[in-house]
Structure formats: structure tokens, C-alpha cells
Amino acid sequence: MRIIESDQRTGIVIYEFYIVLADGTEERKQVKFESDQATLLDHQWQH
């Protein structure tokens, strides 16, 4: 559906991916990008 990029101004960028699954439900995934490394977060990032 959409992607939001959030620059934390600390060298960290959080990407929020809003997706629609095959069954029609919506889901959000967050990825933290820091020091040229991406990490899928298993908890909600506190902005």
C-alpha cells in the first residue's frame, strides 16, 4: 500500500511498510537502517 521513511537524525532511518496480504488483511512491518545495515524490527519503533 505505502512506505513511510522516517529520518531519526541520529544516523538511523526507520522505514514503515504497510502491506495488504493475500487474504485482504493489512499489516505493517518496520525496518531500521543504520550504518549500512538493515534490520527487520520485531517490535514497534518509538519515534
Side-chain angles (χ1 to χ4, degrees):
M1 272 177 34
R2 65 184 169 143
I3 300 170
I4 297 174
E5 177 185 69
S6 178
D7 185 344
Q8 303 299 298
R9 300 190 188 272
T10 60
I12 297 173
V13 178
I14 302 297
Y15 292 94
E16 296 180 78
F17 295 84
Y18 291 85
I19 57 176
V20 178
L21 301 175
D23 65 2
T25 59
E26 295 180 11
E27 194 170 296
R28 178 177 71 171
K29 298 288 184 183
Q30 293 182 317
V31 174
K32 177 176 79 169
F33 190 78
E34 178 181 25
S35 300
D36 294 329
Q37 185 171 359
T39 305
L40 179 64
L41 299 178
D42 58 0
H43 61 283
Q44 184 174 345
W45 180 263
Q46 298 299 315
H47 296 274

